[in-house]
Amino acid sequence: GHRDDWCPNSFATCTRKMVFEKRIVIDCRDHILGRLASVIAKQLLNGQKIVCVRTEGIVMTGSFVRNKLKYLQFKNKRTNTNPKHGPFHQRAPSKILYRVVRGMIPHKTARGAAAMDRLKVFEGIPPPYDTLKRVVVPDALRQINLQATRKYTVLGRLSSEVGWKYADVVNKLETKRKVRASQWYSRQKAVQRVKVKAIENTAQQLEEVNSQLKALGALH
């Protein structure tokens, strides 16, 4: 599919055998929150830079009502003498993911702080990450790890109901991005068709040249 589809390339190799890349962009849509966070935390501690996009599409297991009640109970937890001292109740999906990952990392040490600096989190897919290859984490995908009959909660909806105000803005920007991605994919297909046709049309003319190049080892 075109670039809007979640990328079939998996992050599984990184969970079992460390494969360093300059940057890994994870499409978080339909990933289970805790499972995703544990994989991210381990890779951050190992030195990998990670960018998480479409965090509003993350899911939490359990019904929506139960998860909302849990969050509202969490909101009641505060410093009695001065609430400004925390704990802070983040509403945005990206910040919720960030906090879950932080809980799996010794963030008060230099090593942990350096690991958290390697993590970036976003709602939607802002530039320049909309044109980069995105991967998924099979160990955390809902379709693989959660039975079809089980209830789950989409993080974007939960955030909207507890104070996150930017769901409409993100949806509008995502719609525009998907249109651009679809147009780009159509152009790429057209270019590919032209290339294939050109190769077919010139195959006879270049037969002799290609045979010479093969003999020299330039063509496989």
Side-chain angles (χ1 to χ4, degrees), residues 60-77 89 153 157-159 161-162:
M60 301 165 70
T61 56
S63 69
F64 176 76
V65 173
R66 182 177 287 272
N67 278 310
K68 187 175 178 183
L69 285 172
K70 274 188 195 172
Y71 190 89
L72 294 177
Q73 286 175 337
F74 165 62
K75 264 178 74 175
N76 284 333
K77 291 178 171 61
H89 314 102
T153 303
R157 183 188 169 197
L158 178 67
S159 293
E161 297 212 8
V162 295

Side-chain angles (χ1 to χ4, degrees), residues 166-218:
Y166 298 101
D168 292 339
V169 175
V170 170
N171 288 337
K172 191 184 292 184
L173 291 170
E174 278 293 276
T175 302
K176 288 181 180 177
R177 180 190 65 77
K178 287 173 184 176
V179 170
R180 288 199 305 272
S182 181
Q183 291 170 347
W184 175 87
Y185 184 63
S186 299
R187 287 197 302 272
Q188 290 297 103
K189 282 203 296 187
V191 168
Q192 193 60 32
R193 281 196 297 269
V194 170
K195 277 184 181 177
V196 170
K197 198 170 183 181
I199 290 168
E200 289 175 354
N201 291 342
T202 56
Q204 289 183 339
Q205 300 171 26
L206 297 174
E207 194 172 347
E208 187 181 342
V209 176
N210 285 341
S211 62
Q212 291 173 357
L213 290 171
K214 279 182 183 176
L216 293 169

Side-chain angles (χ1 to χ4, degrees), residues 44-63:
L44 291 173
L45 287 169
N46 284 342
Q48 180 67 61
K49 289 184 178 178
I50 294 177
V51 179
C52 298
V53 295
R54 287 216 276 194
T55 52
E56 73 281 0
I58 290 174
V59 300
M60 301 165 70
T61 56
S63 69

